[in-house]
Amino acid sequence: MSAARESTAPPPLHTKWGVAVGMGIAAAAILVVVILAFLWPSKTSGTHNLPVSIAGPAESVSALEAALGTSDTFEFVSAADRDQAVDQIQTRETYGAIVLGATAGTAPEVLTAPAASPVSAQLLSGVASQLQAQLAKQVAAAGGDPSSVTVTVTPVVPLSASDPTGAGLAAAAFPLAIGGMIGGILISLLVVGPLRRLAAVAGFAVVSGIATSLVMQTWFEYLQGDFWLNALAMGLTMLATASFIIGCTSLLGRAGIAVGAITTMFIGNPLSAAATPWQFLPEPWGVVGQYLVPGASNSLLRTLSYFPDANAAQQWWTLTAWAALGVVLTLAGHFRSRASMRVAPSSLEEGAPRRTSVEQPA
């Protein structure tokens, strides 16, 4: 009896050699794409088109623009005086300012905003050194003491003492993206029913927003400003990412998880410009990144922490739109599934038993 069973047992199945080799090559190709996604922005980005305010006498401004205009590092924004230049920095219109003296021989002042971008602050500090050297030559040529005039560098919006280099705020973009992905994937796999999934993701957003704000603001002190406003921003970030993944899964099945993860991690995160000004990315990718969840989230948190006078409407609406898109995709996938479960009467063969629609639980 056992011998008969052994003789009739199907032979063990093996993957064909060609398929096995092809899968290995495909996995290597995916790895290369992942590496490129994370390294491409740093390789292709450059110091260009940085908005910087400039104020002073027209002749001095023209001379400075001509001297620094040999490259496209800066995009100068005119300011009537120092106060307007400060206002432009605090509203995030510019990353810093160069204020030229009203009279000949008066030293310029360079205003920086390390909270907006430590990289831009370093660039402007370099400009201050160049201006200092030029001014020293002019004073020496006129027979004066070169050390008598100094170019002052004033940080208008400095970083907090708990995050003096801005590394903590920049690094926060990655766990926020990962957190939203984890929530969306777990809810997609473990919760059945569109309304239950949406309820789960709403609860996830509320709890994760408060928890991450406790860690990043109360404990590590990376975030500044109003606690509950920061918690709302981080909760909305989690909601936007998680609901989009849930919506893609509802519409496409488990392949939707890959679509949501790729959009968030391999497209949105590299284009978020968390560590550099988004203007440094190749056009139009810097702008595109600001309309994806990681870029909008990073910009919003930086604005809420250090630039209360800046307009953050674009970031709020961007995150809200992604969250709404996830809800729409979730409901669309639900209704499409219901429609596919119904069989039209005309399609039934005569005499065949009719199938009733199966309602997916809410």
Side-chain angles (χ1 to χ4, degrees), residues 127-197:
V127 172
S129 299
Q130 296 177 21
L131 293 175
Q132 177 68 45
Q134 293 176 4
L135 189 60
K137 290 181 180 179
Q138 294 175 2
V139 172
D145 182 8
S147 63
S148 61
V149 182
T150 304
V151 177
T152 304
V153 178
T154 305
V156 176
V157 188
L159 287 158
S160 67
S162 58
D163 189 22
T165 64
L169 189 57
F174 188 77
L176 282 178
I178 288 290
M181 286 176 53
I182 291 174
I185 292 171
L186 289 179
I187 292 171
S188 297
L189 296 177
L190 302 179
V191 179
V192 178
L195 297 183
R196 288 172 172 78
R197 283 179 173 177

Side-chain angles (χ1 to χ4, degrees), residues 51-309:
V52 171
S53 301
I54 186 167
E59 294 182 359
S60 300
V61 169
S62 299
L64 180 63
E65 289 179 343
L68 298 178
T70 55
S71 67
D72 61 349
T73 301
F74 301 109
E75 183 178 309
F76 291 111
V77 177
S78 179
D81 51 27
R82 185 184 188 278
D83 291 339
Q84 186 178 13
V86 170
D87 181 70
Q88 290 172 344
I89 295 172
Q90 292 176 339
T91 55
R92 301 204 71 180
E93 295 179 46
T94 60
Y95 285 81
I98 301 173
V99 181
L100 303 175
T103 59
T106 304
E109 181 183 12
V110 174
L111 308 179
T112 64
S117 169
V119 175
S120 65
Q122 292 175 1
L123 281 175
L124 287 169
S125 296
V127 172
S129 299
Q130 296 177 21
L131 293 175
Q132 177 68 45
Q134 293 176 4
L135 189 60
K137 290 181 180 179
Q138 294 175 2
V139 172
D145 182 8
S147 63
S148 61
V149 182
T150 304
V151 177
T152 304
V153 178
T154 305
V156 176
V157 188
L159 287 158
S160 67
S162 58
D163 189 22
T165 64
L169 189 57
F174 188 77
L176 282 178
I178 288 290
M181 286 176 53
I182 291 174
I185 292 171
L186 289 179
I187 292 171
S188 297
L189 296 177
L190 302 179
V191 179
V192 178
L195 297 183
R196 288 172 172 78
R197 283 179 173 177
L198 293 178
V201 78
F204 165 72
V206 171
V207 175
S208 62
I210 295 174
T212 51
S213 190
L214 284 171
V215 172
M216 294 180 60
Q217 183 163 356
T218 305
W219 186 5
F220 292 166
E221 298 182 348
Y222 287 162
L223 298 180
Q224 311 299 308
D226 184 80
F227 173 88
W228 292 108
L229 201 56
N230 287 328
L232 177 61
M234 286 187 285
L236 184 57
T237 298
M238 300 289 188
L239 177 64
T241 300
S243 66
F244 177 66
I245 291 177
I246 292 170
C248 290
T249 306
S250 178
L251 195 64
L252 304 175
R254 297 206 173 188
I257 294 177
V259 173
I262 289 171
T263 302
T264 300
M265 185 55 58
F266 300 141
I267 299 177
N269 195 65
L271 297 181
S272 65
T276 61
W278 62 263
Q279 290 86 352
F280 287 0
L281 293 177
E283 296 181 354
W285 300 113
V287 176
V288 171
Q290 295 306 296
Y291 286 94
L292 299 175
V293 174
S297 172
N298 174 73
S299 181
L300 178 59
L301 289 176
R302 197 175 292 272
T303 297
L304 294 177
S305 290
Y306 294 105
F307 300 90
D309 297 330

Side-chain angles (χ1 to χ4, degrees), residues 45-58:
S45 64
T47 54
H48 52 75
N49 301 330
L50 185 72
V52 171
S53 301
I54 186 167

